[in-house]
């Protein structure tokens, strides 16, 4: 079943014609309305009229997360503020969040793309969709929500947390589709077991998992434990939110990127050169239809490859393979993006803490845990030692408040964290170690 048969099965030639037209229109819009882009175009010695074919894309400047930060909060918006109907933002310490704005047409398109996603996953209007993605400034909750309504399904806006209650409501309401991070899916399963509920006995049949990397082994595990078809969904707030791409349940072999709205490329993250089809590199996306904050050649930092071979499901849109890593140091903790530099700036602002720290990420059971070890400031050592716990709690609380993740902060003695000769190794991600 395909939600928008016409758009999702376009022959490549027609698809590319649409992409080119939309790319040209995009260039005109940002050139006229966004000073940042006008400057970038002028620097590169080009005007919108130079975009004559899709291969001219490579002439356009990249956009990076830093550009959103530098233009905080609304500098990259391409429409008057009164045309923006919703804002979303990623976590960040003061002034460093990335803010995105949507026009009415943007939220409509988003709902349609999420509705397409649901149908690709095997859901339809008869489904009960249990939405465990967080509601709020993050895009996950509301993105899924409006897509489910557009589909005509029944959405249960449970959001994150309160796992025991989630499980009993899933049972009572008869959820048929679960949307969550894959790790939270496992947590839900565990809680169900503890409550004496076998998820395979529930009407649940589809799981839509994303927002963090996972593996095919984990897919098999989730499918077996819950008695469902589990598919991978991808998105990022800068480009839209969830629903940029999704696997079809028919093939479960790579996520179809909705190419009538997003133009993907794979580049070498070091040189910035485009790589030939099929090669692995950094995913770059140009938004073709977005009005609020259209982005040209946005560097996602996600490492993947594109598969242009025809898919069993009949969709013609290209498929991206599982994300295998990042080309920056961003950590994803229970679906939430965290940069070590954000934790560092919180540590630096805390009296009694030194700038020597380590971040240790582990997976305990099914949940990511983060321990932050911070050396006590030597000059305050004897003073600080009296209120060690206070300092630990303060850092912990600030991280939770600003970044939205729970951590365990542990103060350690001055000079106990190994000094490195070159670039300090701050992050120890032990999640994939046995
Ligand atoms: P979301 O709430 O959709 O995760 P964010 O903007 O908070 O949006 O995070 C986007 C980032 O999350 C992506 O750039 C990618 O690194 C990661 N991500 C999202 N979906 C997936 C997925 N299915 N597999 C791996 N990583 C993912
Ligand atoms: K994420
Ligand atoms: Zn398919």
């Amino acid at each position: 079943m395909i939600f928008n048969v016409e758009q999702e099965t376009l022959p490549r030639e027609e698809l590319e014609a649409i992409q080119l037209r939309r790319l040209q229109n995009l260039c005109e819009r940002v050139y006229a309305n966004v000073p940042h882009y006008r400057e970038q175009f002028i620097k590169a010695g080009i005007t919108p009229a130079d975009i004559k074919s899709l291969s001219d894309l490579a002439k356009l400047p990249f956009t990076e997360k830093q550009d959103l930060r530098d233009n905080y909060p609304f500098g990259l918006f391409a429409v008057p503020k009164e045309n923006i109907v919703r804002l979303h933002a990623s976590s960040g310490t003061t002034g460093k969040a990335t803010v995105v704005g949507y026009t009415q047409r943007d939220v409509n398109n988003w709902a349609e793309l999420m509705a397409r996603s649901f149908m690709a996953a095997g859901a339809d209007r008869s489904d009960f969709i249990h939405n465990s993605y967080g509601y709020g400034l993050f895009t996950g909750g509301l993105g899924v929500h409006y897509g489910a309504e557009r589909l005509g399904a029944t959405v249960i806006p449970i959001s994150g947390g309160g796992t025991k209650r989630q499980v009993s409501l899933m049972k009572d309401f008869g959820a048929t589709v679960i949307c969550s991070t894959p790790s939270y899916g496992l947590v839900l399963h565990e809680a169900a077991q503890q409550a004496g509920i076998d998820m395979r006995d529930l009407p649940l049949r589809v799981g839509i998992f994303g927002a963090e990397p996972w593996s095919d082994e984990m897919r098999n595990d989730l499918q077996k434990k819950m008695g469902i078809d589990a598919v991978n969904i991808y998105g990022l707030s800068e480009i839209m939110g969830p629903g940029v791409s999704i696997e079809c349940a028919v093939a479960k072999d790579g996520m179809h990127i909705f190419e009538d709205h997003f133009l993907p490329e794979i580049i070498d993250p070091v040189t910035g050169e485009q790589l030939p089809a099929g090669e692995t590199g950094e995913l770059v996306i140009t938004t073709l239809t977005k009005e609020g904050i259209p982005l040209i050649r946005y560097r996602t930092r996600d490492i993947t490859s594109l598969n242009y071979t025809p898919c069993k499901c009949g969709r013609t849109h290209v498929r991206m393979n599982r994300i295998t890593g990042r080309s920056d140091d961003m950590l994803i903790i229970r679906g939430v993006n965290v940069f070590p530099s954000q934790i560092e700036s919180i540590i630096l602002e805390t009296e009694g803490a030194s700038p020597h720290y380590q971040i240790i990420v582990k997976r305990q059971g099914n949940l990511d845990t983060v321990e932050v070890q911070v050396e006590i400031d030597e000059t305050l050592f004897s003073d600080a030692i009296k209120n060690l716990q206070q300092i630990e709690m303060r850092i912990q609380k600030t991280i939770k408040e600003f970044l939205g993740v729970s951590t365990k902060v542990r103060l350690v003695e001055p000079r106990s964290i190994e000094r490195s000769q070159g670039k300090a190794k701050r992050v120890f991600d032990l999640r994939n170690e046995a």
Side-chain angles (χ1 to χ4, degrees):
M1 289 272 274
I2 298 181
F3 185 81
N4 189 332
V5 180
E6 194 189 320
Q7 298 300 318
E8 294 180 74
T9 63
L10 281 169
R12 182 130 302 264
E13 226 168 82
E14 279 174 50
L15 182 59
E16 288 185 353
I18 292 174
Q19 289 179 323
L20 177 60
R21 216 172 49 233
R22 291 183 170 174
L23 177 64
Q24 290 167 329
N25 172 271
L26 165 75
C27 289
E28 273 157 28
R29 282 188 288 132
V30 298
Y31 191 79
N33 300 315
V34 186
H36 166 81
Y37 278 119
R38 178 186 280 270
E39 278 164 34
Q40 294 283 313
F41 275 56
I42 291 171
K43 237 198 255 165
I46 50 170
T47 70
D50 291 319
I51 304 305
K52 298 197 177 75
S53 74
L54 283 181
S55 61
D56 291 326
L57 183 64
K59 295 180 180 160
L60 294 170
F62 289 118
T63 309
E64 307 210 24
K65 202 180 189 80
Q66 191 58 40
D67 294 316
L68 277 90
R69 292 188 177 137
D70 292 345
N71 289 282
Y72 177 86
F74 308 139
L76 293 186
F77 287 15
V79 297
K81 275 208 287 295
E82 58 266 31
N83 293 1
I84 298 288
V85 300
R86 198 194 307 162
L87 297 178
H88 279 289
S90 72
S91 53
T93 48
T94 22
K96 287 229 182 110
T98 44
V99 183
V100 289
Y102 302 76
T103 64
Q104 188 61 56
R105 220 165 109 193
D106 291 336
V107 294
N108 291 349
N109 281 337
W110 190 8
E112 151 143 7
L113 296 189
M114 268 311 306
R116 288 189 195 177
S117 300
F118 278 118
M119 216 164 240
D124 62 36
R125 59 184 300 278
S126 67
D127 277 298
F128 271 57
I129 299 175
H130 184 95
N131 182 15
S132 300
Y133 285 117
Y135 281 66
L137 281 175
F138 288 112
T139 50
L142 289 177
V144 163
H145 184 97
Y146 287 107
E149 289 191 352
R150 169 63 62 87
L151 182 67
T154 307
V155 59
I156 298 121
I158 188 96
S159 195
T163 306
K164 262 194 191 157
R165 182 158 169 265
Q166 298 229 3
V167 169
S168 59
L169 291 187
M170 277 177 85
K171 177 165 177 273
D172 295 348
F173 295 170
T176 53
V177 178
I178 167 75
C179 298
S180 73
T181 60
S183 54
Y184 194 63
L186 289 172
V187 171
L188 283 170
H189 172 261
E190 207 171 57
Q193 265 185 327
Q194 275 160 13
I197 298 169
D198 187 338
M199 279 194 151
R200 291 170 303 183
D201 296 338
L202 303 181
L204 201 62
R205 45 180 204 86
V206 174
I208 300 178
F209 301 109
E212 65 183 9
W214 54 310
S215 61
D216 269 327
E217 289 69 40
M218 195 148 165
R219 186 209 306 269
N220 293 337
D221 196 32
L222 283 161
Q223 295 193 140
K224 227 174 18 214
K225 284 178 167 155
M226 297 193 182
I228 57 169
D229 274 316
V231 303
N232 196 4
I233 186 167
Y234 171 83
L236 63 168
S237 54
E238 292 88 341
I239 294 303
M240 179 177 79
V244 171
S245 67
I246 189 161
E247 278 178 331
C248 56
V250 176
K252 284 187 200 156
D253 183 19
M255 299 173 275
H256 289 283
I257 300 175
F258 295 114
E259 278 190 279
D260 51 334
H261 293 270
F262 308 112
L263 184 55
E265 306 164 72
I266 298 289
I267 63 160
D268 177 326
V270 178
T271 64
E273 293 294 317
Q274 271 182 351
L275 293 177
E279 281 191 31
T280 299
E282 181 183 327
L283 177 67
V284 169
I285 298 179
T286 298
T287 65
L288 292 173
T289 53
K290 208 153 62 134
E291 296 177 332
I293 176 166
L295 295 180
I296 289 188
R297 302 191 85 198
Y298 184 70
R299 293 192 57 167
T300 66
R301 299 286 172 184
D302 290 317
I303 305 295
T304 182
S305 56
L306 298 180
N307 174 4
Y308 284 91
T309 60
C311 184
K312 283 192 264 194
C313 72
R315 289 177 182 77
T316 52
H317 294 183
V318 66
R319 286 175 282 169
M320 59 184 266
N321 289 311
R322 274 191 194 281
I323 308 287
T324 56
R326 300 264 315 166
S327 69
D328 62 6
D329 59 356
M330 186 179 92
L331 291 164
I332 305 181
I333 311 292
R334 283 170 243 133
V336 179
N337 306 348
V338 179
F339 287 92
S341 57
Q342 294 175 307
I343 292 183
E344 177 174 296
S345 55
I346 289 169
I347 293 170
L348 291 177
E349 280 163 20
T350 309
E351 206 184 330
S354 82
H356 302 287
Y357 67 93
Q358 279 181 345
I359 301 168
I360 298 146
V361 191
K362 290 186 187 158
R363 179 154 285 179
Q364 259 162 22
N366 298 315
L367 269 189
D368 299 336
T369 62
V370 184
E371 182 175 284
V372 185
Q373 297 181 352
V374 188
E375 281 184 16
I376 313 164
D377 186 342
E378 213 165 1
T379 59
L380 291 172
F381 186 55
S382 51
D383 274 350
I385 204 129
K386 283 182 233 130
N387 44 36
L388 274 187
Q389 253 183 333
Q390 264 180 332
I391 299 173
E392 286 175 346
M393 293 313 288
R394 195 177 315 141
I395 300 176
Q396 226 163 268
K397 203 172 143 241
T398 315
I399 293 177
K400 175 78 193 171
E401 214 168 81
F402 279 104
L403 308 183
V405 293
S406 304
T407 56
K408 169 95 192 68
V409 173
R410 205 154 64 80
L411 285 181
V412 297
E413 279 178 37
R415 311 204 153 270
S416 62
I417 291 175
E418 205 188 317
R419 301 291 187 264
S420 76
Q421 300 305 310
K423 194 166 145 46
K425 181 156 170 59
R426 305 282 196 201
V427 180
F428 296 83
D429 192 340
L430 310 177
R431 280 176 293 189
N432 293 322
E433 293 179 15

